[in-house]
Amino acid sequence: MSPRLLLSVVVAWLGVACAAVPPPPPTARVIEPSAAEPPDEVVLAEDVRVYRLAPGVWVHVTLAGKAWGHTPANGLIIEEGASSLLVETGWNPRQAERLLDWARDALHRPVRAALVTHFHLDRIGGIPALGARGVPVSAREETARRVVARGMTATLQPLADAQEWGPLSVFFPGAGHSPDNLVVAHRDRGLLYGGCFVKDASARDLGNLEDADVAAWPRSLERVRQRFPDARQVLPGHGAPGGPELLTHTQALLRAAP
């Protein structure tokens, strides 16, 4: 299929998530967005919060429902002039709507486009909300194929395995956590978003391996190191950000994997 064609795909409501052992949900006061400059951290709902990671770079954290143990998942909102870009869509459409509203009303930079890094529910669950608002969502064709025939219909624009996407560099290093996992870098900020391909410092195992290729993962990880040698901050798909040591930690977990 030509990379210029839109792919009609079906989004999974019962897709596979990335984390293995969910922590308990946080308790926090809900703060509504305002017209003022947003604070460095804002709680948009009991299961949605946003915090500033670097100038023009925000992390969104969404919690799964009870069935998934309220597992938190990370994503990004990247400022780009008068608009913004969304990386990952949250676990469900309501969470995505919260993020879109915040970017428009508090950040004053409406989301103009989004991408998802792989086909698991914690990445794609909010796609229907973006489609309803006319926000295009991009993904690898492999991701599109893996969500076909799984629920609600949406339209995904194909991503190349290595391309520039606004201020972001998108790269498919090979299989790892999933067969289709992308990583995303903001070179100007020295940031690498590893998604579920990279584990946080507190992880004691590789998490959900249902769709993983543990044999290929180390080689894929090395390609990421070679592609983005100047990354100073690394954000995993779950858990706290860190530095390049998160790549080393993931590598150690792979060595210890059965």
Side-chain angles (χ1 to χ4, degrees):
M1 181 177 293
S2 167
R4 296 183 178 274
L5 295 179
L6 297 180
L7 298 175
S8 292
V9 300
V10 182
V11 176
W13 288 105
L14 298 175
V16 181
C18 306
V21 181
T27 57
R29 181 169 61 93
V30 174
I31 304 173
E32 295 297 333
S34 70
E37 175 71 15
D40 286 345
E41 183 166 5
V42 183
V43 178
L44 305 179
E46 292 182 350
D47 58 351
V48 185
R49 69 182 177 96
V50 179
Y51 67 89
R52 193 194 310 266
L53 184 62
V57 177
W58 300 81
V59 177
H60 64 78
V61 183
T62 57
L63 302 186
K66 184 177 180 180
W68 286 103
H70 306 288
T71 301
N74 297 330
L76 293 170
I77 297 175
I78 305 294
E79 297 180 20
E80 186 193 29
S83 63
S84 60
L85 300 170
L86 182 69
V87 178
E88 318 292 29
T89 69
W91 290 87
N92 59 59
R94 179 184 53 78
Q95 293 173 341
E97 288 170 356
R98 286 282 190 169
L99 295 171
L100 295 175
D101 289 347
W102 179 82
R104 180 194 62 201
D105 299 335
L107 193 59
H108 309 299
R109 292 175 173 85
V111 172
R112 70 167 182 83
L115 71 78
V116 293
T117 58
H118 62 283
F119 75 101
H120 288 164
L121 182 64
D122 49 347
R123 312 294 132 192
I124 67 171
I127 286 177
L130 277 74
R133 297 199 188 189
V135 178
V137 181
S138 297
R140 293 186 67 238
E141 292 190 27
E142 175 71 10
T143 302
R145 286 194 292 269
R146 286 180 173 273
V147 298
V148 167
R150 281 189 168 192
M152 292 187 67
T153 303
T155 298
L156 297 183
Q157 297 182 347
L159 285 170
D161 285 353
Q163 74 172 74
E164 302 304 301
W165 195 74
L168 303 177
S169 297
V170 177
F171 180 57
F172 172 63
H177 167 76
S178 67
D180 58 332
N181 46 210
L182 289 169
V183 299
V184 179
H186 194 317
R187 294 183 187 271
D188 290 345
R189 296 288 179 261
L191 171 66
L192 173 66
Y193 173 65
C196 300
F197 181 82
V198 176
K199 308 306 293 184
D200 74 290
S202 68
R204 295 295 172 259
D205 57 45
L206 294 167
N208 174 23
L209 297 178
E210 182 175 343
D211 298 300
D213 188 335
V214 176
W217 201 334
R219 294 190 298 275
S220 301
L221 189 64
E222 185 57 32
R223 293 186 193 103
V224 171
R225 288 183 182 276
Q226 294 173 1
R227 185 84 175 187
F228 304 111
D230 299 326
R232 302 184 301 275
Q233 282 187 302
V234 178
L235 180 68
H238 302 274
E245 72 276 0
L246 296 190
L247 302 179
T248 303
H249 178 58
T250 303
Q251 189 174 43
L253 293 175
L254 284 164
R255 286 197 297 267

